[in-house]
Amino acid sequence: MLTTTTTKPDLHQSTLSKNHLQSLDGLRGLLASFVFLHHAMIWYFYIQNGVWQSPPTYLFYYFGTGSVLFFFMITAFLFFSKITSNANSKDFDWLRLYVSRFLRIAPLYLFAVFMMFGFVAYETNFTLIDEISELRENAIHWLFFGLLSLQELNGVDAMRIFAGVVWTLPYEWCFYFLLPIWGLLYRIKVPKVFYLIIILGIILAGKNRIYLPFFLGMLSVYLYQLRFVQSFANHPIASLVIITSCSLPILLSLNPLDWEAQLCLFTAFTLIVAGNDLFGLLSARPMRRLGDISFSIYLLHPLVLYCTMKFIIGMDRAQQLSPSEYIGVIFIITPILITICCFTFRWIESPAIASVNLWTQKIRGFKQLIFKKQ
């Protein structure tokens, strides 16, 4: 669920207007906040009964899984729009696209993983529990950005520390790796070296089981441009349709992975990308700022929850908290989480984003140097 929070296309490469991008920024901020609340609810019941499972209410269940489906649609929409807007291009910069994806995901991911390593070391009292070879192998798996299976680490359930949020990464990578196929279909020149990336995408696709939200996000690239869709999206009643479309699967107790539920979310998503800002909520500056740091919120909120419950409060004391007291704890750590995410966005994400062109030029220069030597 990860990385849908990681996309922000260049305006010169897309038909998206500033208003559309603002709505998507606000939507990302809202979705990341919902995922945080989703896991805060899971933590409450985990503390009480020791069982890690989905929240007991469909509302909070959708805060998690439903938000991830929206994130998948955002990823597909933004990057498929790059493909369609560059149809028949002979100079589409595939190298820059993949450098930008790597630099958007990898730095913050590695920061979070090393934080998790620290938590594991502290929880095990810096004692070696697993065999050193097993510990090394599992640690290496965690350093491959979700592309390898993620195991426990030194006897600690590392996925629990992340609240499982990194499960979305293989889906994001899979979509990115398969983009050259769509490029070929739209007569975009694809250098043969990127055929290897297609193979990786096909391998990942064989392991994945969620495809529909990506196809729906791609479909919305065509639908949002229709004049009657944009006209309706800018009518106040469209905001009510969005709220209804998001509420209906919850009221009907539909599984978010059911196609009926995803079509409801797709309806809301299409109206948002067509320009609806949900009565001004999604275009509000605070929500757009949350959108800027949404990747940090998504990836780091499990670490903040884990640290709070395990190390600061302690599981025994946390178990004695009343529901209102627990809500108070979440209320207190929310601004702390936002502050941390502002710092990680400023000092980790932003520098990486700003270095995309530099690293693209370096890789291209290195490639030319190698071929000259040959």
Side-chain angles (χ1 to χ4, degrees):
M1 219 230 20
L2 210 178
T3 87
T4 53
T5 61
T6 66
T7 55
K8 200 165 188 176
D10 297 329
L11 286 174
H12 70 277
Q13 292 184 339
S14 173
T15 57
L16 294 172
S17 70
K18 183 178 179 181
N19 289 337
H20 296 135
L21 289 175
Q22 287 183 348
S23 291
L24 284 179
D25 283 341
L27 179 61
R28 286 204 301 262
L30 186 64
L31 296 175
S33 302
F34 283 163
V35 175
F36 168 53
L37 294 175
H38 167 82
H39 287 123
M41 174 69 80
I42 289 178
W43 261 102
Y44 175 76
F45 288 99
Y46 174 67
I47 291 169
Q48 300 301 317
N49 56 34
V51 178
W52 187 271
Q53 59 187 9
S54 298
T57 69
Y58 266 87
L59 175 62
F60 279 86
Y61 184 26
Y62 269 81
F63 277 0
T65 306
S67 295
V68 168
L69 296 178
F70 270 122
F71 278 135
F72 287 162
M73 291 182 198
I74 293 174
T75 292
F77 174 80
L78 291 177
F79 284 92
F80 188 62
S81 67
K82 283 179 175 286
I83 298 297
T84 58
S85 62
N86 285 278
N88 303 307
S89 172
K90 302 298 182 184
D91 57 357
F92 186 85
D93 198 341
W94 290 100
L95 177 60
R96 187 185 186 282
L97 183 141
Y98 286 109
V99 170
S100 71
R101 290 303 85 211
F102 180 80
L103 290 177
R104 191 65 184 90
I105 295 173
L108 185 67
Y109 174 82
L110 290 176
F111 172 79
V113 165
F114 281 110
M115 288 290 294
M116 180 269 288
F117 286 171
F119 288 170
V120 169
Y122 183 82
E123 187 165 339
T124 56
N125 294 315
F126 301 92
T127 302
L128 185 63
I129 297 176
D130 292 340
E131 294 291 334
I132 187 66
S133 59
E134 182 182 0
L135 177 63
R136 180 173 57 247
E137 179 182 352
N138 290 343
I140 290 174
H141 275 230
W142 275 98
L143 295 174
F144 268 78
F145 315 108
L147 292 173
L148 299 179
S149 60
L150 301 177
Q151 311 292 334
E152 68 172 23
L153 201 63
N154 204 30
V156 176
D157 187 351
M159 278 294 278
R160 181 71 44 77
I161 297 176
F162 271 114
V165 297
V166 292
W167 74 267
T168 61
L169 279 175
Y171 291 91
E172 294 282 338
W173 287 121
C174 178
F175 182 81
Y176 296 143
F177 291 164
L178 293 177
L179 279 175
I181 292 180
W182 296 105
L184 292 171
L185 292 174
Y186 280 82
R187 300 179 181 274
I188 298 175
K189 183 178 179 181
V190 179
K192 289 183 173 55
V193 66
F194 291 101
Y195 290 4
L196 297 175
I197 290 180
I198 294 176
I199 294 174
L200 290 176
I202 293 173
I203 294 173
L204 285 174
K207 299 178 180 180
N208 294 345
R209 59 186 178 86
I210 300 176
Y211 305 100
L212 184 57
F214 291 101
F215 284 110
L216 293 176
M218 294 163 65
L219 178 59
S220 63
V221 171
Y222 290 101
L223 294 181
Y224 96 98
Q225 298 181 66
L226 298 176
R227 183 169 298 179
F228 78 89
V229 173
Q230 292 190 0
S231 177
F232 178 72
N234 285 282
H235 194 282
I237 198 173
S239 295
L240 297 178
V241 173
I242 291 173
I243 295 173
T244 302
S245 298
C246 292
S247 303
L248 195 59
I250 299 173
L251 296 174
L252 296 178
S253 300
L254 297 178
N255 187 313
L257 298 180
D258 290 343
W259 67 268
E260 300 95 335
Q262 294 187 47
L263 286 181
C264 288
L265 300 182
F266 165 67
T267 300
F269 178 74
T270 301
L271 291 175
I272 290 171
V273 298
N276 188 279
D277 60 3
L278 203 55
F279 297 116
L281 174 65
L282 301 182
S283 60
R285 187 170 181 177
M287 194 60 67
R288 287 189 285 116
R289 295 292 78 82
L290 283 179
D292 290 338
I293 63 173
S294 58
F295 186 34
S296 284
I297 294 175
Y298 180 83
L299 201 55
L300 300 183
H301 81 267
L303 301 179
V304 172
L305 285 169
Y306 187 88
C307 182
T308 301
M309 303 307 166
K310 277 277 189 175
F311 305 140
I312 298 177
I313 298 178
M315 294 294 285
D316 291 337
R317 290 178 59 191
Q319 192 174 32
Q320 298 172 9
L321 294 175
S322 67
S324 59
E325 290 172 334
Y326 183 81
I327 292 173
V329 170
I330 300 303
F331 184 80
I332 290 172
I333 68 173
T334 296
I336 297 174
L337 170 65
I338 292 175
T339 301
I340 293 172
C341 292
C342 286
F343 275 100
T344 54
F345 178 77
R346 172 65 180 84
W347 299 108
I348 298 178
E349 296 184 69
S350 290
I353 295 170
S355 68
V356 168
N357 287 334
L358 175 63
W359 281 105
T360 302
Q361 293 170 4
K362 285 186 175 182
I363 295 172
R364 190 168 283 127
F366 179 75
K367 173 186 172 184
Q368 294 171 351
L369 180 63
I370 293 296
F371 280 108
K372 281 183 180 180
K373 288 184 176 181
Q374 293 177 346

